[in-house]
Amino acid sequence: MKNESAVSDYEFDMLLKELEGLETQYPQLIDPNSPSKRVGGDVTKKFDTVKHKYPMLSLSNTYSKEEIVEWEERIKKTIESEIEYVCELKYDGVAIGIRYVNGIFHSAVTRGDGTQGELISPNVRTINSIPLKLKAPFPDDFEIRGEIFMPLAAFEQLNLDREKEDLPAFANPRNTASGTLKLQDSGAVSERSLDCFLYGLYQDRSAQSTHYDSVSYAGDMGFKIPRVADNMISKVSNVDGILEFIAYWEEKRKDLPFEIDGIVIKVNSYQQQEELGYTAKSPRWAISFKYKTERVQTLLESVSYQVGRTGAITPVANLTPVYLGGTTVKRASLHNAEQMEKLDLHEGDQVYVEKGGEIIPKIVDVNAGERLPNAKPVVFITSCPACSSILVKEEGEAQHYCCNEKECPPQVKGKIEHFIGRKAMDIDGLGAETIDALVELGFVHNVADLYDLTYEQLLSMDRMADKSARNLLDGLEQSKQVPFEKVLFGLGIRFVGATVSKKLAKAFLTMDAIRSASYVVLVV
Ligand code: IVH
């Protein structure tokens, strides 16, 4: 899933603004394929492409409160009557347009390039908060638009599961939601707990005369809409109300169970919206205020190295604790040697930490100006911090590995932890602490040894009561009944995650059958 950006949102927006400025100054140099001519993401080939009935425009955006004041002043110049604004959250996800015919879900299309998008109905149908059948009354044929996102809890759980399967973590909820919607297997989409807030009705004639009433009508039909009681949507009558809403969520957004990247302000009355009209790309009646990604500076105290169950080495930066986006950050992942080199980390550096879309804070830069004169570069280790084996790095791989898989303690313990997990042998009564002790005492060297444990051995352990020992032996006995695919998964073989295990188990039924399979059989 390659939904990553090379630059931050803020940098992207600033570069786009600079480009737009240059294009206004030198119109003769405009490239018809300039990014400024695009409203949104790319149209990929995997799904059918369909034309939008109503173009899917984007919002003009700003990071400056002054520009919000100026926008509101411009609106007042065009509209002489009283103006009401609706302030909403700017959900950080993927835009979607969903058509309903006679109250039944008909189709769902991504924004694509704004004119045409991809038909991803089967994937969108899996999202629980999107009704498949509406509550009456509903218009005969209409489109509703909203933002599909991945709640933070689902994102964190997904990454925990991926970590257990030794798959690389996803960078942030937005890219994960976007990648998920492009999966070919809607079954896999349904497991990803996507959610959706709806923010606009599109139809040829509307029974409602304001945006606010349309949103609440969407709620009556069964759509998930923002809660008024939680101040997630608010009607205000002037710029002070808008600025208050911005300030409220600037502080409170960290408590939301999903990510937002700003707020959206819309003129409420449809008639006034019509009077204000559109530019080529966005409505004049709406604007988004975007929050800057929080970035703080702190001291890099040291770099430590974690050994995963497959032997993969992950460098971790230990930082002087610093408050960022609602939590205190003490550690940040450095991913691998290449990332460390890119940052050109030196001992005692002052580093910049960001927690933008990502849950795991990351070091985005070094304040080289504050580097101590004789600071030494931080050099990636050459031997395993746990067992001292020489580390290896295969060509084309990003990660260094410790190959001492049979004896390196964190690998041995990690493999056993994986083996007993819920998705594998599902053995109760065996936590990380007990595994540590079993390995330290030399009772267990690999997963097979678990099944030779005796009642006497268990009772000889510190803090192991009779009942716990019996429970554990029972759990081990019961685990012999788990389906073959779970055993395969539990072995933690590289590239054999949950999906491959399932396929192998279905095709081969026993370990011996897999062992004697040829390359050709496996590929077919
Ligand atoms: S209104 C004509 N309201 O922001 C514009 N958009 O650049 C109609 N978004 O990807 C969009 N929250 O999906 C609107 N409350 C909200 C929104 C919202 C997020 C997204 C939208 C689009 C981008 C607009």
Side-chain angles (χ1 to χ4, degrees), residues 68-100:
I68 293 290
V69 175
E70 285 163 24
W71 172 80
E72 204 263 345
E73 271 163 8
R74 275 200 305 280
I75 301 272
K76 281 196 293 201
K77 274 191 196 138
T78 313
I79 309 283
E80 278 170 3
S81 52
E82 219 162 273
I83 309 164
E84 221 172 25
Y85 302 96
V86 178
C87 302
E88 293 171 7
L89 303 180
K90 188 168 188 302
Y91 318 106
D92 199 8
V94 182
I96 194 77
I98 314 170
R99 186 176 161 202
Y100 285 82

Side-chain angles (χ1 to χ4, degrees), residues 253-316:
R253 72 182 172 131
K254 62 176 192 298
D255 301 331
L256 283 168
F258 52 85
E259 297 207 315
I260 61 168
D261 58 341
I263 69 137
V264 182
I265 308 123
K266 299 171 183 171
V267 169
N268 194 19
S269 143
Y270 283 152
Q271 203 203 317
Q272 290 177 348
Q273 287 188 5
E274 228 168 90
E275 276 178 61
L276 289 155
Y278 298 81
T279 70
K281 286 183 303 174
S282 50
R284 287 200 189 86
W285 46 263
I287 190 164
S288 77
F289 176 85
K290 286 181 119 183
Y291 296 117
K292 269 192 209 155
T293 309
E294 269 187 86
R295 171 186 282 211
V296 287
Q297 183 178 317
T298 188
L299 174 74
L300 172 73
E301 293 187 349
S302 63
V303 174
S304 47
Y305 298 83
Q306 287 175 345
V307 188
R309 79 175 150 83
T310 57
I313 309 288
T314 308
V316 176

Side-chain angles (χ1 to χ4, degrees), residues 394-431:
E394 301 282 344
E395 220 178 288
E397 289 233 14
Q399 224 75 24
H400 281 75
Y401 282 89
C402 163
C403 299
N404 183 16
E405 61 168 338
K406 294 219 165 93
E407 282 163 49
C408 178
Q411 289 191 64
V412 171
K413 290 173 190 169
K415 283 186 173 70
I416 298 173
E417 272 178 42
H418 176 74
F419 184 73
I420 63 155
R422 198 172 38 83
K423 284 189 169 176
M425 304 304 279
D426 199 8
I427 302 170
D428 272 346
L430 196 53

Side-chain angles (χ1 to χ4, degrees), residues 176-455:
T176 313
S178 160
T180 300
L181 286 172
K182 304 281 172 76
L183 292 176
Q184 290 291 314
D185 172 8
S186 59
V189 179
S190 73
E191 287 169 14
R192 291 275 181 91
S193 310
L194 293 176
D195 205 341
C196 181
F197 270 116
L198 283 308
Y199 56 64
L201 281 185
Y202 291 76
Q203 49 191 328
D204 293 338
R205 214 163 304 128
S206 168
Q208 292 72 38
S209 57
T210 66
H211 168 66
Y212 192 88
D213 289 348
S214 287
V215 172
S216 87
Y217 174 44
D220 296 339
M221 286 192 279
F223 292 101
K224 178 164 176 158
I225 56 160
R227 281 179 300 269
V228 181
D230 292 342
N231 197 31
M232 286 166 69
I233 183 165
S234 173
K235 255 190 294 191
V236 300
S237 55
N238 55 35
V239 75
D240 290 338
I242 297 175
L243 295 174
E244 219 172 276
F245 192 84
I246 291 177
Y248 179 85
W249 285 108
E250 190 149 25
E251 164 60 25
K252 281 276 191 291
R253 72 182 172 131
K254 62 176 192 298
D255 301 331
L256 283 168
F258 52 85
E259 297 207 315
I260 61 168
D261 58 341
I263 69 137
V264 182
I265 308 123
K266 299 171 183 171
V267 169
N268 194 19
S269 143
Y270 283 152
Q271 203 203 317
Q272 290 177 348
Q273 287 188 5
E274 228 168 90
E275 276 178 61
L276 289 155
Y278 298 81
T279 70
K281 286 183 303 174
S282 50
R284 287 200 189 86
W285 46 263
I287 190 164
S288 77
F289 176 85
K290 286 181 119 183
Y291 296 117
K292 269 192 209 155
T293 309
E294 269 187 86
R295 171 186 282 211
V296 287
Q297 183 178 317
T298 188
L299 174 74
L300 172 73
E301 293 187 349
S302 63
V303 174
S304 47
Y305 298 83
Q306 287 175 345
V307 188
R309 79 175 150 83
T310 57
I313 309 288
T314 308
V316 176
N318 300 304
L319 309 164
T320 298
V322 61
Y323 193 74
L324 174 67
T327 48
T328 303
V329 176
K330 293 184 219 132
R331 286 148 73 79
S333 170
L334 288 164
H335 302 293
N336 50 45
E338 203 180 302
Q339 178 69 14
M340 270 170 57
E341 250 168 61
K342 245 192 235 163
L343 288 166
D344 187 27
L345 281 185
H346 281 58
E347 285 173 7
D349 264 351
Q350 285 289 330
V351 293
Y352 294 113
V353 185
E354 251 185 30
K355 201 168 156 197
E358 289 82 37
I359 305 298
I360 310 150
K362 63 174 186 188
I363 296 182
V364 286
D365 209 350
V366 164
N367 184 349
E370 288 189 27
R371 181 168 287 159
L372 301 171
N374 295 319
K376 289 197 205 115
V378 180
V379 182
F380 201 86
I381 49 171
T382 52
S383 57
C384 176
C387 73
S388 305
S389 302
I390 299 296
L391 300 181
V392 294
K393 182 173 167 297
E394 301 282 344
E395 220 178 288
E397 289 233 14
Q399 224 75 24
H400 281 75
Y401 282 89
C402 163
C403 299
N404 183 16
E405 61 168 338
K406 294 219 165 93
E407 282 163 49
C408 178
Q411 289 191 64
V412 171
K413 290 173 190 169
K415 283 186 173 70
I416 298 173
E417 272 178 42
H418 176 74
F419 184 73
I420 63 155
R422 198 172 38 83
K423 284 189 169 176
M425 304 304 279
D426 199 8
I427 302 170
D428 272 346
L430 196 53
E433 256 177 61
T434 314
I435 293 172
D436 277 4
L438 288 170
V439 174
E440 302 297 330
L441 289 165
F443 290 168
V444 170
H445 304 92
N446 54 46
V447 296
D449 289 348
L450 287 173
Y451 293 92
D452 292 333
L453 279 171
T454 64
Y455 175 71

